[in-house]
Amino acid sequence: MQVSKLKAGFKCSKILKGISFHLAQNDKVGLVGPNGSGKSTLLKVLAGELPIDSGIIKAENQTIAYLKQEIPHDFDNYSIIDYIKQQTGIGELEIKLSELENDLNSDNMTEYEEVLDKFLLLDGYSFESNLQSVINGLRLNKDLNSKISALSGGEKIKVLLSVMLLSNGDILLLDEPTNNLDIEAIEWLEKYLQSLQKSIIVVSHDETFLNNIVNKIFEMSDGKIREYNLGYDEYLKQKALEYEQDRLKYINALQERKKLKDRLQKAKGWTNKGISTKAHNDNDKLANNYAKERTRSSEVSKLTKALEELDIPVFQERKKINFFLDLDNEKGNKNIYVDNLICGFEGFQTVPIRLNIDFRTKISINGSNGSGKTTFIKTLLGMIKPISGSIVIGSDIKICYISQDTIVNDKNVSVYDFIISGIDGIDQSLIFTLLNNFGFNYDDRNRKYAELSPGERTRVNLTKMALHKINVLVLDEITNHLDKEALDLIYEVVKTYPGTIISISHNRKYNEILNADCSLDIATG
């Protein structure tokens, strides 16, 4: 695939501002960049889902398979196998082949051969066998005749992945393929993609996944791409080196500006002193003073010009977060006890759960997609009634629940109002200090919470958590959809947070940093 000077966007807003790159056979590219930089837009444009304004995309004799983010609601009543056949095109080809074979003659022989070629290209005679192999690998433990509407979010992602992998594309475009997948499915997908002799462009915030898959990085920023012929780990090392180089250039430029200002101040002092000197009758002395004053004026002019032309590079220092929490001096009962708890609803329930969570413990909640991890969390928080069993929450516990959705019912609530809701008598200076600590400025207080990016909403939630002195964090797949900056913030949170953490995550780097004291495996009864 060859892309040249590609521009695309919405109305007057150009998201892609002249992108060019060459994708060679078997290139496995990680497309990275902050949220909003245009990664998903680029994939949609390459897949033909969005129009281009100008530029060229050449993919001669190459077919593209694109992983979409969700299954449209019109397919809710389809079965898994019918949806996959419909989306890959194999279902339509099967029907057409059957029709032609029932009335095969010299008039339709050419059409029959064309349809058969397409069917064979998709390995049609082995399609159901290949499908079974893929869904087994992805651990989609569902009957293929199950309705799409009955699937969980993670199970639907597995169906979409099955469609893409069975479409037999020459170029695979994957947008967040690991979101909502359990670890076993992610590891199988990694091995599958590693074995393919195909070109791949993948957007993912799962750093372990990227490190195991890609051999090249496309970094998106300001609507353009910068290429790195490096694996993901090597790319991160290069970025760290560039950051340090940029920091030194910035420091050197500031030091140079200070030197120029000091010299200019001194030169101006000389000139002023020269101007105030009394005239002498001696012509030689007058001439000598005139020459000195002229030299000093020239020096002032030269230094002023040097200051004006001095380029101070733009540089943003990375800030370390500070939660302003002091839980060491807090007393009271902050433990949680779960005894013979069965969670669920009609037609679904977990096995009995017994768990004692002492204060400051880090708990990892594990289980395959659809096993009931989130159901357990919501039962623990009182959002869902238990089927049986008991939960005892310590009287001095303050819980903050941050989920992958981070949505609010009131679409007009501001960042400031969201943060202070449920608490009175807060020192406003502390609020704005905390907002700044988590990357927001004073003007951001009036922004609508619902209009923030997922990463920004997560940072607002963490600000609120710090303000309310939360001592128990419940985190449900909060790494989904976050860019690297937000992910690094989450990693810092789970590494340094001094209270209790109850966590669900399939992000392997996150789990490694969490370093849970114990794990709870959820299973259905």
Side-chain angles (χ1 to χ4, degrees), residues 180-183 186 367 369 373 477 505-508 511:
N180 298 308
L181 291 188
D182 46 61
I183 290 174
I186 293 173
N369 288 129
K373 299 185 298 296
E477 291 288 6
S505 180
H506 295 128
N507 182 310
R508 286 163 290 178
N511 286 327

Side-chain angles (χ1 to χ4, degrees), residues 26 32 97 200 311 315 336 355 416 448 483 522:
N26 207 32
V32 303
L97 275 178
I200 296 172
D311 182 27
F315 178 74
I336 299 172
L355 183 66
Y416 178 81
K448 299 288 189 293
D483 57 26
I522 303 290

Side-chain angles (χ1 to χ4, degrees), residues 95-108:
I95 293 169
K96 193 65 178 175
L97 275 178
S98 179
E99 289 174 353
L100 292 169
E101 286 171 350
N102 288 335
D103 185 28
L104 197 59
N105 55 63
S106 57
D107 293 333
N108 62 16

Side-chain angles (χ1 to χ4, degrees), residues 15 25 27 46 101 115 128 150 214 286 288 306 337 399 481-482 513:
I15 297 176
Q25 175 67 27
D27 267 351
L46 296 178
E101 286 171 350
V115 174
E128 292 197 18
V214 307
L286 282 171
N288 189 44
Y337 303 100
I399 295 180
H481 308 295
L482 299 188
I513 292 170

Side-chain angles (χ1 to χ4, degrees), residues 69 153-154 157 175-181 186 205 479-481:
Q69 282 294 291
I157 288 290
D175 195 354
E176 293 287 3
T178 62
N179 275 357
N180 298 308
L181 291 188
I186 293 173
H205 296 126
T479 60
N480 286 353
H481 308 295

